[in-house]
């Protein structure tokens, strides 16, 4: 007689984080002054985060490729205030490309207020935050993800001086947690190459509180995956992401959309493992169009794509049909198009971009980027 032996898979237990885990114990060290410098990259979502709950908790999980070339470099200089100067205010100067930039200050002020409970030293120091981007200013590429991630890394470097026993895991998890409080998608800019943010039952360790590296096998096809960003419209967006997220409250399709994001993320787990690019393309392009469909069906409704966005999408579909080259597009909350393709077809796709897509870019501008490994201490 034969018996079927069913293998018992025992559930693994993961530590469930809560926000209070990031409130530090009293510090064991002191530091008077110094400086740190970090670069943090931008990221491009494959499954989109669109809609949030209180405290920057996402309404659905998302997954992104961390980029390599589009990044923010931020230097943080700090000096301890003398006790007579201790007030109940934050004290910081903000420089952009070496020059004072007053209009960036309110965003930083708001960030400091949000994270103060997790970084209780913030009012003890005067800070100079000196920041620059590797991509052109007002290119329509959001710098909030890379910017908030770079700033969070610097604050964590300072906290590590005050608590030298800090583990690397805590350092990166808390950096991502803080970046999230600055700008949701920024939490996916701390690590590489594929980052998940938001609770997903089938992804061990995933959490709404910070981004985690995708923990399973990733097929060779995705190694050095390319992202060429076509700059269709470099102007200021008519509707900010903050307003867009907010319009997902009471949106007629919100619940179905949130469920779809979970389904798509589950499908991507298998696709990352088997490297099926046709299936990858279906999910990525559907996610991009769904994001924009949410904008078009909110109340008030709006459109961020431009005529040239559609021209590019149609040209990519035609090229893919004719050549069978697995190139696809995704969009973030704007008119620019991210053209995604595997490294082994780079030459053909770049030729296609230069020959047929550049005409749709503002001033013929585009940026060549690819998947990257996350924030770096400089
Ligand atoms: O991080 P926010 O609030 O700027 O929102 C970003 C939203 C999208 O870029 C459209 C999607 C995403 O997941 O990055």
């Amino acid at each position: 007689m034969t018996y079927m032996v069913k293998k018992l898979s025992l559930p693994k237990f993961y530590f469930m984080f809560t926000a209070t885990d990031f409130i530090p114990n009293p510090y064991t060290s002191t530091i008077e002054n110094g400086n740190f410098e970090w670069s943090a990259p931008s990221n491009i979502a494959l499954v989109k985060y669109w809609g949030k709950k209180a405290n920057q908790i996402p309404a659905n999980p998302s997954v992104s490729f961390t980029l390599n070339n589009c990044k923010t470099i931020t230097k943080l200089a700090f000096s301890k205030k003398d006790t007579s100067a201790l007030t109940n205010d934050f004290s910081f100067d903000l420089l952009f490309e070496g020059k004072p930039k007053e209009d960036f200050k309110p965003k930083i002020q708001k960030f400091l207020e949000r994270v103060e409970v997790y970084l209780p030293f913030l009012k003890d120091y005067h800070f100079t935050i000196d920041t620059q981007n590797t991509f052109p200013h007002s290119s329509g590429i959001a710098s909030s993800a890379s910017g908030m991630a770079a700033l969070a890394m610097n604050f964590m470097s300072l906290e590590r001086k005050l608590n030298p026993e800090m583990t690397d895991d805590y350092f990166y998890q808390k950096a991502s947690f803080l970046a999230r409080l600055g700008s949701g998608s920024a939490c996916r800019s701390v690590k590489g190459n594929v980052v998940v943010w938001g609770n997903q039952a089938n992804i061990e360790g995933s959490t709404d509180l910070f981004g985690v590296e995708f923990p399973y096998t990733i097929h060779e096809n995705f190694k050095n995956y390319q992202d060429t960003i076509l700059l269709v419209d470099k102007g200021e967006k008519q509707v900010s992401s903050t307003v867009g997220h907010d319009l997902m409250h009471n949106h007629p399709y919100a619940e179905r959309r949130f469920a779809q994001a979970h389904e798509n993320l589950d499908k991507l787990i298998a696709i990352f493992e088997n490297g099926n690019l046709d299936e990858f393309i279906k999910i990525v392009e559907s996610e991009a169009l769904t994001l924009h469909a949410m904008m078009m069906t909110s109340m008030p409704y709006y459109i961020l794509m431009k005529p040239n966005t559609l021209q590019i999408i149609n040209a990519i579909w035609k090229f893919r049909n004719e050549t069978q080259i697995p190139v696809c597009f995704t969009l973030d909350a704007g008119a620019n198009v991210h053209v995604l393709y595997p490294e082994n077809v780079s030459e053909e796709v770049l030729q296609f971009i230069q020959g047929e897509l550049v005409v749709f870019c503002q001033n013929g501008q585009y940026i060549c980027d690819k998947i990257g490994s996350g924030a770096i201490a400089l």
Side-chain angles (χ1 to χ4, degrees):
M1 202 198 286
T2 54
Y3 295 93
M4 287 282 285
V5 180
K6 195 160 185 287
K7 210 171 137 206
L8 274 180
S9 63
L10 294 170
K12 282 191 192 156
F13 291 103
Y14 276 82
F15 180 68
M16 290 294 287
F17 281 95
T18 63
T20 47
D21 292 316
F22 294 112
I23 298 176
N25 292 327
Y27 295 127
T28 52
S29 284
T30 57
I31 182 164
E32 289 301 309
N33 52 56
N35 56 73
F36 301 105
E37 189 171 13
W38 279 86
S39 78
S42 187
N43 69 75
I44 181 67
L46 306 170
V47 171
K48 309 288 181 180
Y49 148 59
W50 200 241
K52 62 178 154 185
K53 306 176 195 167
N55 302 321
Q56 303 275 99
I57 295 299
N60 65 260
S62 56
V63 65
S64 52
F65 283 158
T66 303
L67 296 183
N68 193 59
N69 303 335
C70 289
K71 47 193 178 188
T72 299
I73 299 165
T74 300
K75 193 187 277 180
L76 179 77
F78 57 95
S79 56
K80 200 137 191 198
K81 296 181 196 165
D82 35 7
T83 32
S84 62
L86 278 182
T87 61
N88 211 23
D89 287 326
F90 299 112
S91 165
F92 67 99
D93 296 314
L94 197 275
L95 307 178
F96 180 67
E97 293 176 346
K99 295 192 198 88
K101 185 90 177 161
E102 288 303 308
D103 38 331
F104 282 8
K105 284 186 92 172
K107 204 165 179 192
I108 305 290
Q109 173 78 25
K110 201 165 153 206
F111 174 65
L112 298 177
E113 285 164 13
R114 273 194 198 162
V115 299
E116 188 193 3
V117 54
Y118 306 105
L119 299 174
F121 58 80
L122 286 177
K123 284 184 177 153
D124 300 345
Y125 292 91
H126 174 77
F127 296 105
T128 304
I129 302 164
D130 190 348
T131 187
Q132 64 190 87
N133 297 328
T134 58
F135 45 91
H137 188 50
S138 73
S139 57
I141 297 187
S143 58
S144 56
S146 53
M148 286 300 171
L151 187 56
M153 299 311 298
N154 279 305
F155 282 133
M156 284 312 295
S157 284
L158 176 48
E159 183 167 68
R160 186 178 242 170
K161 290 283 179 199
L162 302 171
N163 171 20
E165 287 85 50
M166 182 186 293
T167 63
D168 252 18
D169 276 353
Y170 183 88
F171 179 88
Y172 282 101
Q173 285 164 352
K174 183 164 172 182
S176 174
F177 171 88
L178 297 172
R180 187 196 97 234
L181 293 172
S183 172
S185 60
C187 75
R188 298 188 313 238
S189 276
V190 167
K191 287 281 187 169
N193 297 325
V194 179
V195 176
V196 177
W197 168 38
N199 271 325
Q200 175 82 350
N202 291 329
I203 300 185
E204 287 166 358
S206 62
T207 163
D208 287 346
L209 297 182
F210 51 85
V212 298
E213 280 172 276
F214 181 75
Y216 307 122
T217 312
I218 297 178
H219 193 276
E220 278 286 298
N221 283 353
F222 297 104
K223 201 175 158 219
N224 282 329
Y225 220 74
Q226 307 286 305
D227 179 5
T228 302
I229 308 162
L230 307 181
L231 305 181
V232 170
D233 186 56
K234 303 191 285 171
E236 188 92 353
K237 280 185 279 193
Q238 297 114 317
V239 182
S240 71
S241 287
T242 310
V243 171
H245 285 294
D246 215 38
L247 289 172
M248 288 303 281
H249 294 292
N250 306 317
H251 189 293
Y253 305 128
E255 286 315 311
R256 185 67 200 95
R257 159 58 199 155
F258 300 147
Q260 181 200 38
H262 283 277
E263 291 156 16
N264 283 343
L265 186 49
D266 267 345
K267 287 182 192 157
L268 275 181
I269 298 173
I271 292 168
F272 280 137
E273 179 159 10
N274 64 29
N276 186 331
L277 293 180
D278 292 338
E279 293 301 311
F280 176 76
I281 287 171
K282 277 189 210 158
I283 290 184
V284 169
E285 292 191 343
S286 164
E287 276 287 323
L289 294 179
T290 302
L291 168 70
H292 284 257
M294 291 299 110
M295 300 173 191
M296 291 189 236
T297 48
S298 56
M299 191 55 78
Y301 42 80
Y302 61 105
I303 302 179
L304 294 184
M305 290 187 283
K306 297 283 179 196
N308 281 350
T309 311
L310 297 181
Q311 296 279 17
I312 291 169
I313 291 173
N314 279 314
I316 290 174
W317 284 345
K318 184 161 176 279
F319 176 79
R320 192 168 72 221
N321 258 330
E322 287 168 2
T323 62
Q324 304 303 313
I325 290 176
V327 52
C328 72
F329 72 86
T330 189
L331 308 166
D332 53 19
N336 295 336
V337 182
H338 289 249
V339 185
L340 299 177
Y341 48 99
E343 191 183 26
N344 65 350
V345 294
S346 292
E347 216 171 291
E348 296 94 315
V349 175
L350 274 173
Q351 232 169 40
F352 160 62
I353 288 172
Q354 282 154 6
E356 291 181 50
L357 302 185
V358 162
V359 288
F360 302 121
C361 299
Q362 215 174 354
N363 307 323
Q365 272 185 294
Y366 63 94
I367 297 174
C368 290
D369 211 333
K370 61 177 181 180
I371 200 165
S373 57
I376 300 170
L378 301 172

